[in-house]
Amino acid sequence: MGSLLIHHYWGRFATTFTVISQGVWSDLTGVHYYQNKLKLAIIGQSLFGQEVYSNLRKQGHKVVGVFTVPDKDGKADPLAVAAEKDGTPVFKFPRWRVKGKPIPEVVDAYKAVGAELNVMPFCSQFIPMNIIDQPKHGSIIYHPSILPLHRGASAINWTLIHGDKKAGFTVFWADDGLDTGPILLQRECAVEPNDTVDTLYNRFLFPEGIKAMVESVQLIADGKAPRVPQSEEGASYEGIQKKSNAKINLAQPAEAIHNWIRGHDKVPGAWTVIDGQTVTLYGSSMLGGSVPAGQPLEVEGASQPGLVTKNGLVLYGTDGKPLLVKNLQFEDGKMIPASKYFSSGESSSVELTDDEKKMASEIRNIWKSILSNVPAIEDTTDFFKSGAASMDVVRLVEEVKQKCAGVQLQTEDVYMATTFQDFIQMFVRKLRGEDQEEELVIDYATKDVNNMTVKMPYQCFINGQFEDAENGKSYQTINPTDGSVICKVSYASVGDVDRAVEAAKEAYDNGPWGRMNPRDRGSLLYKLADLMEEHQEELATIESIDSGAVYTLALKTHVGMSIQTFRYFAGWCDKIQGKTIPINQARPNRNLTFTKREPLGVCAIVIPWNYPLMMLAWKSAACLAAGNTLVLKPAQVTPLTALKFAELSVKAGIPKGVINILPGSGGMVGQRLSDHPDIRKLGFTGSTPIGKQIMKSCAVSNLKKVSLELGGKSPLIIFSDCDMDKAVRMGMSSVYFNKGENCIAAGRLFVEESIHDEYISRVVEEIKKMKIGDPLDRSTDHGPQNHKAHLDKLLEYCEVGIKEGATLVYGGKQVDRPGYFMEPTVFTDVEDHMFIAKEESFGPVMVVSKFKNGDVEGVLHRANDTEYGLASGVFTRDINKAMYVSERLEAGTVFINTYNKTDVASPFGGFKQSGFGKDLGEDALMEYLKTKAVTVEY
């Protein structure tokens, strides 16, 4: 060929992403060393080129010259900006040759820098071969495909268009062919079902490509760089895809259509003809499960009409399978959500207030500073037609957000409102919060109950939207008060888990949540708590009918403590701190070591059915305050308050993808969460056997962090010198609170012999006063058990206790009325070897054993003779005895002369087979953070 064209089309996206810089190499003592370093010429452009340049310099290589493109509209390329700041010689040649021949003065300028290696991370110019071959080590180039596949400029696009299962990049030695030189290094990754050019680039090709370029240079410097000839077997070349060639062939299977659309997203854009005009389609995904209702739309060349739904435009392939398109762009450049196709021309202009007009004037100045080549910013000025590029989009978004903190503006919003007038209208609607109400579409299950109409979402909540399960399956959730069906709830599949994790990962990696100021994040959590308080009666009612919780308790504890938890952790958001650490100095240099607390990433949370909303809050609030995103699986039998919480999170302004809720089976959803490689932490509350299985799966999958709050058999020791009235009252609460469905319930009471009979007599007397009935009745003390299977287990538990010889003093039977009601039960004469002495009932069953007067050591030994260690309690007026017993009890929580006294500021969690890790308090926050140590030499 005699010359080489290096033009990687993906480079125009480079300026929209951020990369973590690679650190310098060091030995185990922390002393930096640089060996076999080279003099480099960097030939390229874009943010990718800038990052490669910066990281190579950090590795100790000397960049003797940077060769990049001329300034555009008075703005230098990012590579030039970084090099000029460092004082590195920068050359901005518009071209390297004329009529096929190298320009002598350009060649001379290049040769004068004396480079030993050309590094070409991104180059859109023809580079003559005498430049390519000039350095001692020649030239290396980055190419975004697994060569020899997809040689040419649009490699990422063609990877997606062809439906490749793997993507990757190659660092190769330049020769006189087009991407044909020997291979130095390759890396690959899996292509996700709904990947686009942007997601592939941002997730893998950009950050890993920078590391690979730096690694390649070091391999060359050390004389270890391979030169593997490319095979011609499987080689392919595809040219730059142009808009004129990007029309969609709709007469093919859905997956092929999907691949074509996403392979052209965002440039040059795949298009079709609708109503006689060219329409470009963006944001394609394969649609699993049932197709939502919508309005038919004729699309030229399609095998059947499309469907405009609440989620977007549904298209069908020739195989009858559906795909979903999120956004449409018309010939005039206007982009709209596909869901608003039929209403796109109906939106009326928003009338601005005086304050909003002032803000619009400030935003006009921002546009003017960016579009410096435009004489004046008119209402009709188009951002992109005026010469703006992708980096300008980022700048616009960031500068506008600086002017108005709290507005959740994203780069996508700029593409949806390209003229100044449309941008201001969009901005004002966001400022007023009007856009959020329009975006969220909910098919409620409604119920007139408790003197109100409760509105309950019942679908999976994924990426900010309620939608049916991928496979269309659902199940019935039951009211334990009478056994009636409340509503049908979506039954999430493994595919739904994968989509939810993908959404959470995207929200963490690229969404506003990860970039948000911690104080702003806290403001959103405060707002969420306020909305929960505003809806507390509705939440408590839903909790009552779905879990059987007595309404007054649901209002005070299930919901009330949930609100307190979110407010507590909202206050922590801007107080997460590291520390400085003095380390030994390596004279004459000095070192500063400090630590940073950073979020983990995507977290999974699996919660039980006894406190559906409160368990959600205990884990989710800490997780979100730390800056993570989450996928939460509520218990299968109690999903409704979690889904209502999801609705409130959208109203609070929590960005899409940050919170995802998946009702369904623990064996399916919970297992997939444990196995998923993109989840970095799993928090679980439930049984010990399931906790062990989760821990095993988390270890085998990707060694994800785990916290477990598991079973309990919490001992409560009542000494004869107690306050008897209080011991009876609190002892009953320790067992019967929330129908006994309480993780820290006193699983076994040890009562000193001299007061045993009186204590039992008074307990039975008080039980007879308890009102059992409808949990929505304000005078009810004791509601139904959570579900029938649990009631059956409790009845069997009581039968075992009787067979083993324990004395059934009271209860032990199902209440003779509709629903799943269990009598408050008392067993005495319980010996240490019995089943009910060792195993948790998780119900309203008081298990009482007596101990000899004054035998403190004996009762402590019996109390600790269990594999559980969640909670414990002691009642005595002797403070010395109380403190001694509290020190000896092997449990994560010890209550003295009280019980069930938990607070959002106090850590909660167990020992032994009751699990590890903490909920609540500052300790809980640490469960969702990782510590990074940074050492600086100066």
Side-chain angles (χ1 to χ4, degrees):
M1 289 177 60
S3 62
L4 183 69
L5 169 63
I6 305 158
H7 183 300
H8 296 320
Y9 194 48
W10 51 274
R12 71 180 64 196
F13 301 106
T15 52
T16 63
F17 304 106
T18 303
V19 169
I20 299 172
S21 296
Q22 176 114 336
V24 296
W25 292 97
S26 64
D27 63 19
L28 294 178
T29 66
V31 178
H32 304 169
Y33 64 92
Y34 303 111
Q35 296 178 342
N36 305 320
K37 301 307 174 183
L38 297 176
K39 292 189 289 184
L40 307 174
I42 308 294
I43 305 176
Q45 64 193 82
S46 82
L47 189 60
F48 187 89
Q50 175 194 313
E51 290 293 338
V52 170
Y53 159 82
S54 298
N55 280 275
L56 285 170
R57 290 185 78 247
K58 287 177 184 177
Q59 289 293 334
H61 297 287
K62 181 174 179 60
V63 179
V64 293
V66 164
F67 299 84
T68 186
V69 294
D71 296 353
K72 182 180 179 182
D73 297 325
K75 290 181 288 187
D77 182 82
L79 173 58
V81 171
E84 287 169 345
K85 183 178 179 181
D86 294 333
T88 301
V90 177
F91 304 86
K92 302 178 183 179
F93 299 136
R95 63 186 65 83
W96 290 71
R97 58 182 203 166
V98 174
K99 296 181 179 180
K101 294 183 178 181
I103 302 172
E105 54 267 32
V106 171
V107 174
D108 291 343
Y110 166 78
K111 289 181 178 180
V113 302
E116 298 173 314
L117 174 71
N118 290 333
V119 179
M120 308 174 76
F122 175 79
C123 183
S124 60
Q125 297 172 312
F126 284 96
I127 309 299
M129 284 308 300
N130 61 338
I131 299 294
I132 295 293
D133 295 334
Q134 173 67 29
K136 176 172 67 173
H137 296 292
S139 302
I140 60 169
I141 308 171
Y142 173 99
H143 182 77
S145 81
I146 307 170
L147 290 173
L149 193 65
H150 306 309
R151 295 169 176 168
S154 299
I156 309 178
N157 304 70
W158 290 105
T159 296
L160 296 173
I161 292 169
H162 284 292
D164 295 352
K165 300 304 180 185
K166 290 184 177 180
F169 59 79
T170 304
V171 180
F172 68 98
W173 301 90
D175 65 4
D176 61 353
L178 186 59
D179 304 328
T180 57
I183 293 170
L184 192 162
L185 180 150
Q186 286 186 323
R187 298 281 187 271
E188 63 181 40
C189 69
V191 177
E192 300 297 333
N194 293 319
D195 263 331
T196 63
V197 172
D198 281 6
T199 61
L200 263 180
Y201 183 71
N202 190 34
R203 184 180 82 243
F204 184 78
L205 299 174
F206 185 72
E208 295 303 318
I210 291 163
K211 295 176 186 177
M213 288 297 282
V214 175
E215 181 182 346
S216 297
V217 171
Q218 193 59 53
L219 286 171
I220 295 169
D222 295 340
K224 299 177 181 179
R227 290 176 179 262
V228 181
Q230 289 193 41
S231 169
E232 288 305 310
E233 184 178 348
S236 65
Y237 168 80
E238 298 94 0
I240 296 175
Q241 193 62 341
K242 299 179 180 178
K243 187 77 173 182
S244 58
N245 298 327
K247 184 177 182 180
I248 307 164
N249 174 14
L250 294 168
Q252 53 183 335
E255 187 173 354
I257 298 172
H258 165 60
N259 288 337
W260 185 265
I261 296 172
R262 66 178 178 147
H264 291 81
D265 191 342
K266 297 202 171 25
V267 178
W271 58 275
T272 188
V273 177
I274 302 175
D275 287 338
Q277 66 172 320
T278 298
V279 179
T280 305
L281 280 54
Y282 297 106
S284 173
S285 59
M286 293 300 295
L287 186 62
S290 58
V291 176
Q295 190 171 346
L297 177 66
E298 292 294 334
V299 181
E300 185 180 286
S303 57
Q304 65 184 87
L307 205 62
V308 177
T309 73
K310 64 182 181 182
N311 297 328
L313 172 62
V314 175
L315 297 175
Y316 295 89
T318 52
D319 54 0
K321 293 181 179 179
L323 61 136
L324 184 71
V325 174
K326 287 288 187 181
N327 299 317
L328 305 176
Q329 187 174 37
F330 298 100
E331 292 174 343
D332 61 1
K334 183 179 181 181
M335 187 182 288
I336 64 165
S339 59
K340 298 184 178 180
Y341 179 83
F342 289 111
S343 58
S344 60
E346 298 173 8
S347 59
S348 56
S349 296
V350 174
E351 187 68 30
L352 273 58
T353 65
D354 289 342
D355 286 343
E356 289 165 349
K357 288 177 181 177
K358 182 179 178 181
M359 185 65 69
S361 178
E362 293 177 355
I363 293 174
R364 192 184 297 271
N365 290 334
I366 294 172
W367 276 54
K368 177 59 182 171
S369 66
I370 296 173
L371 304 176
S372 56
N373 56 314
V374 177
I377 304 299
E378 308 290 345
D379 286 351
T380 56
T381 299
D382 187 284
F383 194 67
F384 295 102
K385 291 179 180 178
S386 299
S390 54
M391 192 63 193
D392 299 315
V393 175
V394 177
R395 178 183 167 187
L396 174 61
V397 168
E398 292 306 313
E399 288 197 29
V400 171
K401 283 163 68 176
Q402 279 184 334
K403 286 289 183 183
C404 188
V407 173
Q408 299 304 308
L409 194 64
Q410 300 180 44
T411 56
E412 192 71 23
D413 296 320
V414 183
Y415 290 102
M416 301 287 279
T418 61
T419 67
F420 181 76
Q421 184 177 33
D422 289 344
F423 184 87
I424 291 299
Q425 291 285 309
M426 173 274 299
F427 172 81
V428 169
R429 286 191 171 94
K430 279 188 173 289
L431 195 64
R432 297 177 181 179
E434 295 176 4
D435 62 319
Q436 292 167 1
E437 292 294 334
E438 293 174 1
E439 288 176 7
L440 187 64
V441 179
I442 307 175
D443 292 331
Y444 290 110
T446 59
K447 202 167 188 69
D448 293 323
V449 62
N450 200 23
N451 299 316
M452 68 180 76
T453 300
V454 294
K455 299 167 68 177
M456 299 169 287
Y458 60 86
Q459 297 166 295
C460 300
F461 183 71
I462 301 174
N463 203 25
Q465 297 290 336
F466 286 100
E467 54 189 73
D468 291 336
E470 186 178 64
N471 54 20
K473 289 185 178 180
S474 63
Y475 68 97
Q476 295 176 337
T477 186
I478 305 298
N479 185 341
T481 302
D482 56 12
S484 64
V485 175
I486 302 171
C487 64
K488 285 188 174 183
V489 179
S490 291
Y491 189 81
S493 68
V494 169
D496 295 313
V497 177
D498 291 346
R499 289 189 301 112
V501 173
E502 182 183 1
K505 190 172 188 300
E506 175 66 18
Y508 179 79
D509 290 340
N510 304 316
W513 191 250
R515 300 190 299 269
M516 191 178 293
N517 181 294
R519 198 160 295 171
D520 293 338
R521 187 164 68 241
S523 296
L524 292 179
L525 295 183
Y526 276 123
K527 187 174 180 181
L528 178 55
D530 291 343
L531 282 165
M532 292 169 70
E533 187 170 51
E534 185 181 323
H535 289 263
Q536 61 182 334
E537 288 86 1
E538 186 178 18
L539 286 166
T541 301
I542 296 171
E543 192 92 324
S544 188
I545 64 174
D546 203 25
S547 76
V550 172
Y551 175 75
T552 50
L553 177 65
L555 197 61
K556 178 180 183 296
T557 301
H558 289 236
V559 179
M561 194 174 188
S562 300
I563 296 167
Q564 291 176 29
T565 302
F566 270 96
R567 286 193 174 133
Y568 173 80
F569 283 108
W572 266 111
C573 288
D574 61 352
K575 300 171 186 68
I576 299 171
Q577 299 177 1
K579 56 187 176 183
T580 58
I581 304 171
I583 65 171
N584 288 338
Q585 305 296 331
R587 304 284 184 182
N589 298 315
R590 284 182 166 80
N591 298 287
L592 168 66
T593 294
F594 62 92
T595 61
K596 298 171 64 181
R597 298 282 193 179
E598 297 179 347
L600 299 169
V602 180
C603 297
I605 291 174
V606 180
I607 58 173
W609 42 258
N610 57 328
Y611 295 101
L613 186 64
M614 194 172 78
M615 291 296 98
L616 176 153
W618 279 22
K619 294 188 188 305
S620 299
C623 173
L624 295 169
N628 303 287
T629 58
L630 68 89
V631 180
L632 181 140
K633 193 201 89 65
Q636 184 171 341
V637 291
T638 54
L640 295 180
T641 44
L643 294 170
K644 188 68 180 179
F645 167 83
E647 175 192 349
L648 298 180
S649 75
V650 176
K651 291 183 177 180
I654 305 293
K656 68 178 184 178
V658 172
I659 296 172
N660 302 271
I661 311 285
L662 298 174
S665 157
M668 182 184 298
V669 175
Q671 186 62 51
R672 178 56 180 158
L673 291 172
S674 301
D675 294 336
H676 204 293
D678 288 333
I679 290 174
R680 296 301 171 190
K681 158 72 192 279
L682 192 147
F684 172 74
T685 295
S687 72
T688 296
I690 298 299
K692 290 179 178 180
Q693 177 60 40
I694 284 174
M695 190 171 176
K696 180 179 178 181
S697 298
C698 289
V700 171
S701 58
N702 63 341
L703 210 63
K704 58 176 63 70
K705 189 176 182 181
V706 181
S707 58
L708 304 171
E709 194 251 281
L710 306 176
K713 190 65 176 174
S714 301
L716 173 57
I717 303 172
I718 301 175
F719 289 99
S720 58
D721 61 354
C722 67
D723 178 333
M724 180 63 83
D725 290 339
K726 190 173 186 182
V728 169
R729 186 175 71 254
M730 299 302 294
M732 291 183 66
S733 173
S734 76
V735 176
Y736 303 126
F737 188 82
N738 198 47
K739 313 113 60 182
E741 296 168 353
N742 189 24
C743 50
I744 56 171
R748 191 177 181 194
L749 276 67
F750 295 92
V751 182
E752 199 160 9
E753 195 171 33
S754 61
I755 64 168
H756 176 274
D757 292 349
E758 179 189 355
Y759 187 85
I760 298 300
S761 175
R762 290 187 59 174
V763 165
V764 171
E765 183 182 338
E766 292 301 317
I767 288 175
K768 292 177 180 178
K769 299 176 185 177
M770 292 171 63
K771 180 179 178 180
I772 302 172
D774 183 354
L776 292 175
D777 186 332
R778 290 354 182 227
S779 63
T780 294
D781 299 304
H782 188 78
Q785 303 309 135
N786 188 277
H787 51 284
K788 187 177 186 304
H790 184 55
L791 173 63
D792 293 342
K793 176 194 164 195
L794 289 172
L795 295 172
E796 182 181 351
Y797 185 90
C798 292
E799 289 174 6
V800 171
I802 294 169
K803 288 177 182 177
E804 286 190 319
T807 301
L808 178 63
V809 176
Y810 192 90
K813 302 187 298 296
Q814 182 175 356
V815 178
D816 186 18
R817 59 169 291 156
Y820 311 138
F821 290 85
M822 172 82 180
E823 292 179 338
T825 299
V826 179
F827 276 102
T828 61
D829 302 318
V830 178
E831 298 179 16
D832 293 354
H833 65 83
M834 292 179 178
F835 176 81
I836 64 172
K838 293 179 175 297
E839 295 301 322
E840 181 180 28
S841 72
F842 210 65
V845 182
M846 182 179 284
V847 176
V848 185
S849 300
K850 67 175 68 171
F851 67 95
K852 293 180 180 179
N853 294 333
D855 187 12
V856 176
E857 296 301 328
V859 74
L860 274 170
H861 175 77
R862 296 172 71 189
N864 287 330
D865 187 21
T866 173
E867 272 301 298
Y868 298 113
L870 188 56
S872 58
V874 54
F875 277 83
T876 176
R877 285 191 172 98
D878 185 338
I879 187 62
N880 291 324
K881 185 193 298 182
M883 295 305 295
Y884 177 76
V885 169
S886 71
E887 288 178 6
R888 296 286 304 279
L889 285 168
E890 297 170 356
T893 298
V894 181
F895 298 109
I896 299 177
N897 294 327
T898 187
Y899 210 89
N900 285 325
K901 189 70 175 180
T902 55
D903 186 84
V904 295
S906 177
F908 179 93
F911 302 157
K912 300 189 284 189
Q913 291 198 45
S914 288
F916 52 84
K918 297 294 183 182
D919 290 324
L920 304 180
E922 183 180 359
D923 294 55
L925 201 65
M926 298 304 110
E927 297 291 337
Y928 293 92
L929 292 164
K930 59 179 183 277
T931 301
K932 177 184 288 182
V934 180
T935 297
V936 182
E937 185 174 280
Y938 61 96

